[in-house]
Amino acid sequence: MARKGSWLTLAVLLLGSIQAQAQEAPGPHDRAEAVKIIAELRKIVAPEGLERTEKLRIGGIDQWVSVRSRDLRNPVLLVLHGGPGWVAMPTSWYFAHGWDEFFTVIQWDQRGAGKTYVANDPATVAPTLTVERMHADAEELVKWARKTFGKEKIFVLGHSWGSILGLTLAERHPEWLHAYIGVAQGIDARESERRGWAWTMEQARAAKNEEAIRDLDSIAPYAVGEKPLPVKDILLQRRWLNFFGGAAYRRPDASFEGAAVNLSPDYTDEEVRQVWTAQELSVERLLSAVLTADLQHVKRLKTQLILFLGRHDYNLSATVAAEWFASVKAPSKQLVWFEQSAHELMAEEPGKALLSLIRHARPIAERAGDVAPASAR
């Protein structure tokens, strides 16, 4: 009875505290309060863990990474974000929740993007924003990760534009990887653009949306020939493709994900303010070149392959990626369809993303002995 009484006393005290808080104006009242709450919720306290953001010297400039791990004995997972310039670090508090329990997760703000943009003089960096330089940066970062965390092999996950970096890296350096994980994988960019335009026009006609039909007609024939697509034409196609749900399933755009940048505990107020300016620079310098990419020549990989594709992705055609997957040879390969997603599948179905990483990627590291002992979990 004494124990029951003590529990009742504690419950009364807790209830009183909650009621007192409820009488105050509900918070958070500003970004600082919101960020503090999120940072505390995701704080890593495990003695074998690590939680840090740091500046590295890569490709002659300062570039930022974040590292999160509940146990550094777990395999390293390097995330190559999309865009160009669509940084993943500031939204990873949401979409990558729980990943650090099974992997040492590295988020990287690429050259000209996010925190890396703010850390350098844009006028100096702008001329270096080339596809070739980005490939070199990615290779340099993988070398850093392997050395820093004492890993012979790591996982690389590339999303969208990052999947072009990632698949190229997997082709050139399979000995560095446990497996390559392609998310919204890019293969034949021009064919993807053509299919995206055709699907969007089909939706516009079905909806009898005269403005969309007129805009899409104005850039036809689209993605035909060898010349790079003008950025203005790409953005016009994307405006309507997004509107009809080709980037985020049954949503008019991906602003729901972009808004999460404002709540990032990894970003300062100034970095939040600059993130979209940085993306504009990356798009201006890189997008046309990126959309000439053609990786159909990759017929065989010497590392294991995992693809995550959104069933409704027309931003970077999931059907083009699936057709390539059917023919490519690899030591093992796995395709996972996200049925309620388009292009932003990690944010659209975050639970399935985590479960798929645990089911399909982590066992590869387990077989290689690159995981924390079971007793540590």
Side-chain angles (χ1 to χ4, degrees):
M1 291 299 293
R3 180 173 294 178
K4 181 179 179 181
S6 63
W7 277 111
L8 286 172
T9 301
L10 178 60
V12 170
L13 289 172
L14 287 172
L15 181 60
S17 175
I18 292 168
Q19 288 175 335
Q21 292 176 29
Q23 291 172 4
E24 301 172 0
H29 301 94
D30 52 31
R31 178 177 184 270
E33 286 188 22
V35 165
K36 184 177 179 181
I37 292 169
I38 292 169
E40 283 298 316
L41 282 170
R42 70 200 296 255
K43 184 177 181 179
I44 292 176
V45 297
E48 299 85 4
L50 178 67
E51 177 182 19
R52 75 180 185 216
T53 56
E54 63 179 300
K55 186 167 56 178
L56 310 174
R57 196 72 179 172
I58 297 174
I61 66 169
D62 292 334
Q63 302 201 33
W64 278 93
V65 298
S66 72
V67 182
R68 293 183 56 81
S69 179
R70 305 294 177 101
D71 195 321
L72 291 170
R73 294 171 292 182
N74 278 328
V76 167
L77 172 61
L78 170 62
V79 179
L80 306 179
H81 69 68
W86 185 259
V87 281
M89 187 192 302
T91 56
S92 62
W93 65 267
Y94 170 72
F95 78 78
H97 181 66
W99 292 19
D100 53 43
E101 296 177 41
F102 303 92
F103 302 89
T104 294
V105 183
I106 302 172
Q107 300 281 352
W108 166 43
D109 280 7
Q110 299 166 18
R111 179 181 297 261
K115 292 170 75 74
T116 297
Y117 171 86
V118 176
N120 298 277
D121 177 8
T124 301
V125 172
T128 73
L129 286 173
T130 66
V131 173
E132 294 74 19
R133 180 65 257 176
M134 304 297 274
H135 282 303
D137 284 355
E139 291 185 2
E140 199 170 327
L141 186 60
V142 172
K143 291 177 183 177
W144 168 84
R146 292 170 65 230
K147 180 179 179 181
T148 299
F149 299 103
K151 302 291 188 179
E152 180 183 351
K153 296 185 177 185
I154 70 170
F155 291 101
V156 167
L157 182 155
H159 174 240
S160 190
W161 145 244
S163 76
I164 295 171
L165 291 176
L167 182 56
T168 302
L169 195 150
E171 181 190 22
R172 293 176 180 175
H173 299 287
E175 72 278 8
W176 293 353
L177 305 183
H178 283 306
Y180 166 62
I181 305 162
V183 180
Q185 180 66 50
I187 296 296
D188 181 346
R190 287 183 182 280
E191 178 60 20
S192 174
E193 288 299 301
R194 288 190 287 270
R195 293 192 195 185
W197 182 93
W199 176 83
T200 306
M201 178 61 90
E202 182 182 338
Q203 306 311 304
R205 287 171 175 159
K208 297 182 172 55
N209 188 318
E210 296 301 326
E211 183 184 3
I213 294 169
R214 185 169 58 251
D215 281 352
L216 292 166
D217 268 334
S218 74
I219 57 174
Y222 182 73
V224 174
E226 298 301 317
K227 292 178 65 175
L229 282 165
V231 171
K232 66 177 181 61
D233 289 1
I234 300 167
L235 296 181
L236 186 59
Q237 186 257 30
R238 290 295 192 276
R239 175 193 173 190
W240 292 109
L241 183 147
N242 290 355
F243 177 80
F244 290 114
Y249 180 49
R250 304 191 71 180
R251 295 175 185 259
D253 54 46
S255 60
F256 75 102
E257 184 181 5
V261 171
N262 296 331
L263 297 177
S264 172
D266 295 314
Y267 268 41
T268 66
D269 289 354
E270 180 60 20
E271 288 161 351
V272 168
R273 280 192 287 269
Q274 294 282 357
V275 71
W276 305 119
T277 302
Q279 189 191 23
E280 287 176 7
L281 175 65
S282 295
V283 165
E284 175 191 340
R285 291 282 176 164
L286 285 168
L287 186 57
S288 288
V290 166
L291 293 184
T292 64
D294 187 352
L295 296 177
Q296 293 182 96
H297 69 273
V298 180
K299 304 294 187 183
R300 182 179 297 274
L301 289 175
K302 295 182 179 179
T303 189
Q304 299 182 69
L305 172 66
I306 302 167
L307 285 195
F308 296 169
L309 299 178
R311 182 68 72 180
H312 309 279
D313 187 358
Y314 298 94
N315 186 81
L316 197 51
S317 173
T319 58
V320 171
E323 288 163 9
W324 169 82
F325 177 86
S327 62
V328 70
K329 301 294 190 294
S332 73
K333 62 180 188 178
Q334 180 70 42
L335 170 56
V336 182
W337 284 104
F338 285 64
E339 301 293 346
Q340 302 299 322
S341 295
H343 192 64
E344 301 304 316
L345 62 91
M346 291 188 293
E348 294 178 86
E349 293 184 70
K352 184 166 185 175
L354 174 58
L355 186 60
S356 300
L357 287 170
I358 295 168
R359 282 180 172 172
H360 303 296
R362 188 175 159 90
I364 298 171
E366 289 173 350
R367 290 191 290 271
D370 185 22
V371 294
S375 60
R377 291 200 50 75

